[in-house]
């Protein structure tokens, strides 16, 4: 984990620090007042009712002020940017606004080419409905992730309705689902007294909702009446699971879709929490998020105000049939089929609580801590991590079960049970309440920034950073700790360790290094206000604790891992020296064999020459012996036979020759009579 000090000198930090008021207080849910669009940071200013924007990788970039045509009359609690980066959602208890962002162009890809003052169009969602119903507040709102153009907003109101609005029709919702399902044995389930009247007294009020990763069934693909215009937006065919959390711990589950044939009004809940407990997890719940691949098999995270986080696996019902799932690639198809079994009309899913994490919200003693609402935040850059935000700091939680389930589904063979039970890893990134005597500096904004390569800013290469904005206007950038890569064991070392006599299964090098570097706690970045002086004794105690934690959890594991690596290197060096000695022996033996080969080749050539001489002498002896034999040899008999046949043909050849001479004389006589002197010459030549 590293901290960048370049962002502290940005103009936006100075501007925000000038507008800080001592009497200004931050609400419990105002921890998301900043967002990142590419490399530009957007910060909402409560004092000026505007958005400030500045390029993060350029120190001399222009501070841009995005003024609103219709500033909100209520307090903004959070802002959200859609995936396209074209709009900002302003969410408050009394309304939801949408700010149309200008286009980004120019040298540094800033808004409207880098103009300092820009006026942005602002519209409001369900403005007339919220004005007419003063008792209805906005619980939470976000962009619909399945919107092709990023123009759909999902809003959860205090009347227990989940509504989906389109920016084209901002006053009339396209979908409206009644989330709260009254229990049959509840006294508020009668028609005369609806459940919502007594919900506040019993804690049955919605506090948050989340949308998981999408799944898609074959129902849309198999329908033959779907036109080409409806097929071009594949995101509209997805079913997005939605989980709504209530303050008493009830979780309701439904699906949302922008496709008109997949819209369903089925809401199931409250979901069963397994394993059951006597108090039924009776805690004050405040936030929810979903990590993983989505659908059944994902991990649902539930947070409480006391700093406790529960990890729940979404389990399918026992009698749920398998439904085929389609996807783009073969791997994603296999993964989705293994992790997600979708059926909207089937019985409700259940939640299996397999892990509980108690977060250390601050470094002060526990008796001095007050309940602080937590806010869970996910990002598209990582699917197995989420951020925990509160007024006293920021935590990063890595859920290893997500990767374990993915490897289990993608692998061809079933993995052992112990491979699926990895514990989560908690990193304390920022702490703003380290001492009881120090003044609390609330966290007003937190955003994830994945910087790209820049010629003027080489630090922005690789990895993601968490931008934390404090109430004092200070902007902290904390590099996210990267997971250790899976380094393969060298094959030579693996072969040596596998053949080690008298030893069982040998621990691989990367496993040993991971085990050494694994730590139980982390040292956060400390931030405090200079308005109140610190107690020297408490500051010294904090310094000693910090140094001890750094030594015990950072330096000692690194030294242990370094010693382990050095030991393995020494083993490899010893093995290398042994192999070099064996190589020298083999080289000498090879030279000896080459010399023997040359000597044997010379002896072979001499033996071949002697053999040829003996063959020639043997042929001469055989010829002499055959000539001295009394009889004729086969060659002589054949020659004799040929001579006899020629002798028998001599009379016939002699008659033919006499015939030719006679004919030649006749031609000469005819030529002399005709007086042609040339003809005899020709005949003689012929």
């Amino acid at each position: 984990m590293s901290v960048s000090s370049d962002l502290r000198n940005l103009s936006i930090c100075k501007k925000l620090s000038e507008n800080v008021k001592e009497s200004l207080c931050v609400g419990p849910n105002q921890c998301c007042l900043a967002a990142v669009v590419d490399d530009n940071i957007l910060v909402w200013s409560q004092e000026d009712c505007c958005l400030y924007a500045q390029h993060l990788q350029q120190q001399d970039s222009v501070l841009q002020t995005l003024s609103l045509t219709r500033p909100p009359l209520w307090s903004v609690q959070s802002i959200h940017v859609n995936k396209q980066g074209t709009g900002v959602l302003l969410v408050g208890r009394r309304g939801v606004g949408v700010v149309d962002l200008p286009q980004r162009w120019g040298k540094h890809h800033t808004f409207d080419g880098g103009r300092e003052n820009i006026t942005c169009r602002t519209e409001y969602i369900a403005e007339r409905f919220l004005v007419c119903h003063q008792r209805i507040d906005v619980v939470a709102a976000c962009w619909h992730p399945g919107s092709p153009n990023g123009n759909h907003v999902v809003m959860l109101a205090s009347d227990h309705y989940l509504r989906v609005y389109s920016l084209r029709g901002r006053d009339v919702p396209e979908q409206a689902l009644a989330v709260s399902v009254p229990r049959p044995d509840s006294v508020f389930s009668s028609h005369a007294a609806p459940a919502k009247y007594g919900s506040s007294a019993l804690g049955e009020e919605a506090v948050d909702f989340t949308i998981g990763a999408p799944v898609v069934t074959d129902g849309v693909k198999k329908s033959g009446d779907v036109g080409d215009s409806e097929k071009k937006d594949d995101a509209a065919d997805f079913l997005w699971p939605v989980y709504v959390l209530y303050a008493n711990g009830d979780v309701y589950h439904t699906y949302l879709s922008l496709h008109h044939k997949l819209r369903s009004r089925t809401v199931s809940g409250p979901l069963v929490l397994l394993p059951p407990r006597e108090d039924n997890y009776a805690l004050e719940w405040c936030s929810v998020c979903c990590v993983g691949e989505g659908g059944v098999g994902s991990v649902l995270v539930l947070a409480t105000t006391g700093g406790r986080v529960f990890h729940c696996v979404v389990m399918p019902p026992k009698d749920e049939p398998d439904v085929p799932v389609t996807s783009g690639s073969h791997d994603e198809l296999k993964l989705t089929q293994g992790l997600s079994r979708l059926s909207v009309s089937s019985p409700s899913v259940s939640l299996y609580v397999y892990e509980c994490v108690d977060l250390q919200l601050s470094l002060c003693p526990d008796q001095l801590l007050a309940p602080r609402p937590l806010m869970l935040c996910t990002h598209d850059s990582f699917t197995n991590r989420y951020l925990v935000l509160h007024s006293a700091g920021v935590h990063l939680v890595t859920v290893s079960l997500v990767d374990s389930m993915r490897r289990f589904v993608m692998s061809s063979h079933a993995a052992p049970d112990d491979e699926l039970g990895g514990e989560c890893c908690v990193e304390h990134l920022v702490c703003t309440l380290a001492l009881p005597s120090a003044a609390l500096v609330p966290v007003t904004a937190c955003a994830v920034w994945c910087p790209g390569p820049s010629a003027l800013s080489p630090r922005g290469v690789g990895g993601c950073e968490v931008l934390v904005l404090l109430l004092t206007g200070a902007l902290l950038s904390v590099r996210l700790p990267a997971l250790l890569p899976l380094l393969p064991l060298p094959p030579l070392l693996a072969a040596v360790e596998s053949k080690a006599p008298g030893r069982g299964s040998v621990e691989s090098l990367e496993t040993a290094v991971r085990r050494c570097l694994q730590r139980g706690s982390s040292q956060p970045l400390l931030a405090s206000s200079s308005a109140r002086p610190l107690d020297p004794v408490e500051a010294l105690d904090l310094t000693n604790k910090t140094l001890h934690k750094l030594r015990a959890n950072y330096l000692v594991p690194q030294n242990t891992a370094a010693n382990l690596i050095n030991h393995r290197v020494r083993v490899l060096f010893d093995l290398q020296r042994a192999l070099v000695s064996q190589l020298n022996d083999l080289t000498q033996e090879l030279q000896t064999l080459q010399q023997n080969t040359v000597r044997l080749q010379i002896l072979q050539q001499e033996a071949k020459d002697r053999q040829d001489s003996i063959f020639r002498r043997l042929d001469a002896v055989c010829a002499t012996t055959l000539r001295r034999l009394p009889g004729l040899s086969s060659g002589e008999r054949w020659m004799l036979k040929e001579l006899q046949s020629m002798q028998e043909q001599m009379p016939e050849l002699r008659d033919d020759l006499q015939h030719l001479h006679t004919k030649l004389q006749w031609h000469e006589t005819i030529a002399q009579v005709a007086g042609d002197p040339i003809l005899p010459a020709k005949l003689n030549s012929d």
Side-chain angles (χ1 to χ4, degrees):
M1 182 174 61
S2 60
V3 182
S4 175
S5 60
D6 298 339
L7 301 181
R8 300 178 182 178
N9 300 325
L10 292 176
S11 302
I12 191 172
C13 299
K14 301 178 182 178
K15 182 65 175 178
L16 294 176
S17 61
E18 294 175 357
N19 296 336
V20 171
K21 299 180 182 179
E22 297 181 357
S23 60
L24 183 63
C25 60
V26 180
N29 297 326
Q30 292 180 341
C31 293
C32 192
L33 297 180
V36 176
V37 182
D38 292 340
D39 290 335
N40 299 297
I41 184 173
L42 288 173
V43 179
W44 172 257
S45 177
Q46 297 283 7
E47 298 81 7
D48 300 333
C49 288
C50 66
L51 290 170
Y52 289 115
Q54 189 173 8
H55 199 276
L56 291 172
Q57 292 188 350
Q58 305 296 330
Q59 293 294 326
D60 56 347
S61 58
V62 180
L63 176 61
Q64 297 180 295
T65 303
L66 305 182
S67 303
L68 309 184
T69 55
R70 298 173 57 194
L73 302 178
W74 30 264
S75 177
V76 177
Q77 294 182 349
S78 61
I79 65 174
H80 306 277
V81 181
N82 56 1
K83 294 182 179 180
Q84 293 78 8
T86 57
V88 176
L89 195 67
L90 306 178
V91 182
R93 294 292 298 179
R94 292 305 307 159
V96 177
V98 179
V99 180
D100 186 15
L101 293 179
Q103 295 183 355
R104 299 183 300 277
W105 55 275
K107 181 179 180 181
H108 301 311
H109 202 60
T110 56
F111 292 101
D112 203 5
R115 291 176 50 192
E116 295 185 2
N117 297 318
I118 305 173
T119 303
C120 302
R121 178 187 175 184
T122 307
E123 299 293 343
Y124 293 93
I125 303 295
E127 182 179 12
R128 184 179 303 174
F129 173 77
L130 294 175
V131 170
C132 297
H133 301 79
Q134 293 294 327
R135 293 185 178 182
I136 298 178
D137 297 332
V138 178
V139 176
C142 67
W143 294 100
H144 195 298
S147 179
N149 300 322
N151 54 1
H152 288 80
V153 178
V154 182
M155 185 181 69
L156 176 64
S158 59
D159 60 347
H160 309 284
Y161 268 85
L162 191 69
R163 297 176 175 87
V164 180
Y165 290 90
S166 175
L167 298 185
R168 297 179 180 177
R170 296 177 295 274
D171 293 331
V172 180
E174 293 186 352
Q175 302 179 54
L177 302 179
V179 178
S180 180
V181 180
R183 298 187 180 93
D185 55 350
S186 176
V187 296
F188 301 102
S189 60
S190 61
H191 297 285
K196 60 182 179 179
Y197 293 152
S199 60
S200 300
L202 299 180
E204 297 180 357
E205 57 181 1
V207 292
D208 194 10
F209 78 97
T210 184
I211 302 177
V215 291
V216 58
T217 60
D218 288 340
V220 179
K221 302 298 180 182
K222 291 182 180 180
S223 59
D225 55 348
V226 179
D228 296 336
S229 60
E230 297 180 0
K231 290 183 178 180
K232 65 179 181 179
D233 294 332
D234 296 336
D237 299 343
F238 291 159
L239 289 175
W240 302 82
V242 181
Y243 303 92
V244 181
L245 176 66
Y246 277 67
N248 59 354
D250 292 343
V251 179
Y252 293 90
H253 173 247
T254 185
Y255 290 96
L256 290 180
S257 176
L258 299 180
H259 199 279
H260 64 280
K261 293 185 178 181
L262 295 179
R263 293 179 181 177
S264 174
R265 297 182 181 274
T266 302
V267 179
S268 58
L271 303 183
V272 179
L273 293 179
L274 300 175
R277 289 174 49 173
E278 296 180 358
D279 56 351
N280 195 23
Y281 303 91
L283 299 172
E284 186 178 356
W285 308 83
C286 58
S287 184
V288 62
C289 75
C290 186
V291 295
E293 299 297 334
V296 177
S298 59
V299 177
L300 191 68
V301 184
L302 305 176
T304 66
T305 57
R308 182 170 296 180
V309 177
F310 293 90
H311 293 165
C312 310
V313 180
V314 182
M315 305 295 293
K318 296 182 180 180
D319 55 348
E320 181 180 2
D322 294 339
V323 180
V325 182
T326 61
S327 181
S329 60
H330 178 70
D331 295 340
E332 295 298 333
L333 172 62
K334 185 178 179 182
L335 177 64
T336 310
Q337 288 178 347
L339 292 180
S340 182
R341 297 175 179 179
L342 180 61
S343 178
V344 177
S345 60
S346 63
S348 61
V349 298
S350 59
L351 302 178
Y352 181 79
V353 182
Y354 80 96
E355 191 175 26
C356 177
V357 182
D358 288 329
L359 300 178
Q360 185 181 5
L361 302 184
S362 68
L363 303 182
C364 297
D366 297 339
Q367 60 270 16
L368 299 178
L369 294 179
R372 301 181 185 278
L374 305 183
M375 177 180 292
L376 306 179
C377 179
T378 59
H379 195 263
D380 297 335
S381 301
F382 38 83
T383 58
N384 60 342
R385 290 180 171 184
Y386 65 91
L387 293 173
V388 182
L389 315 178
H390 51 90
S391 59
V394 180
H395 292 76
L396 175 68
V397 181
T398 302
V399 184
S400 59
L401 183 63
V402 175
D403 296 334
S404 299
M405 289 191 299
R406 182 181 180 89
R407 289 193 301 267
F408 177 76
V409 174
M410 297 299 296
S411 61
S412 58
H413 60 279
D417 296 337
D418 54 352
E419 294 185 4
L420 295 177
E423 296 181 354
C424 66
C425 179
V426 181
E427 296 283 345
H428 198 175
L429 300 182
V430 178
C431 179
T432 60
L433 185 58
L435 297 175
S437 61
L440 174 64
V441 183
V443 177
T444 59
C446 183
V448 179
W449 175 39
C450 296
S454 176
L456 299 178
S457 181
R459 69 173 183 84
V461 180
C464 295
E465 298 182 6
V466 177
L467 304 180
V468 180
L469 183 63
L470 305 180
L471 183 63
T472 57
L475 183 62
L476 306 179
S477 175
V478 183
R479 181 65 59 89
L480 289 180
L483 297 176
L484 293 179
L486 292 176
L487 301 176
L489 188 67
L492 182 59
L493 183 59
V496 172
E497 291 182 349
S498 62
K499 296 181 180 179
R503 300 176 63 182
S505 58
V506 180
E507 188 179 24
S508 61
L509 179 60
E510 66 269 16
T511 304
V513 172
R514 282 176 174 271
R515 179 174 52 81
C516 293
L517 295 180
Q518 187 177 6
R519 58 178 184 267
S521 60
S522 60
Q523 177 59 36
L525 175 64
L526 303 180
S528 62
S529 176
S530 59
R532 183 186 303 176
L534 300 178
D535 188 2
V537 178
E538 294 179 353
L540 180 60
D541 187 21
L542 178 61
T543 303
N544 294 333
K545 291 181 180 179
T546 302
L547 293 177
H548 176 72
K549 184 179 294 186
L550 290 175
R551 291 192 183 99
N553 295 284
Y554 289 85
L555 297 182
V556 173
Q558 292 179 6
N559 293 333
T560 305
N563 294 333
L564 178 61
I565 295 174
N566 292 332
H567 173 69
R568 295 297 178 95
V569 170
R570 286 194 297 269
V571 171
L572 290 177
F573 274 129
D574 295 339
L575 182 61
Q576 182 185 10
R577 284 194 293 268
L579 293 177
V580 169
S581 178
Q582 294 180 6
L583 181 61
N584 294 333
D585 297 341
L586 292 176
T587 303
Q588 294 178 1
E589 186 177 356
L590 178 60
Q591 293 178 357
T592 304
L593 292 177
Q594 290 178 351
Q595 294 175 0
N596 294 335
T597 301
V598 173
R599 185 173 58 82
L600 291 177
Q601 288 179 354
I602 295 175
L603 294 176
Q604 181 185 7
Q605 187 65 30
E606 293 177 355
K608 184 177 181 181
D609 294 342
R610 291 196 189 110
Q611 185 180 9
D612 293 341
S613 177
I614 292 173
F615 282 162
R616 287 193 298 271
R617 291 175 60 187
L618 183 60
D619 290 341
V621 171
C622 291
T624 303
T625 303
L626 291 175
R627 283 196 300 271
R628 293 179 180 181
L629 291 176
L632 297 177
S633 63
S634 60
E636 291 175 347
R637 286 194 297 269
W638 180 80
M639 186 179 297
L640 178 60
K641 185 178 180 180
E642 289 292 331
L643 292 176
Q644 289 177 356
S645 63
M646 292 176 63
Q647 187 176 4
E648 291 176 359
Q649 293 178 1
M650 286 298 294
E652 297 179 2
L653 295 175
R654 194 177 290 110
D655 294 341
D656 293 338
L657 182 61
Q658 185 64 32
H659 177 71
L660 291 175
H661 281 293
T662 303
K663 189 174 181 179
L664 181 61
Q665 291 178 1
W666 181 77
H667 280 291
E668 289 179 354
T669 304
I670 294 300
Q672 291 177 0
V673 174
D676 189 359
I678 301 176
L679 183 59
K682 293 182 178 180
L683 294 174
N684 291 331
S685 63
D686 296 336

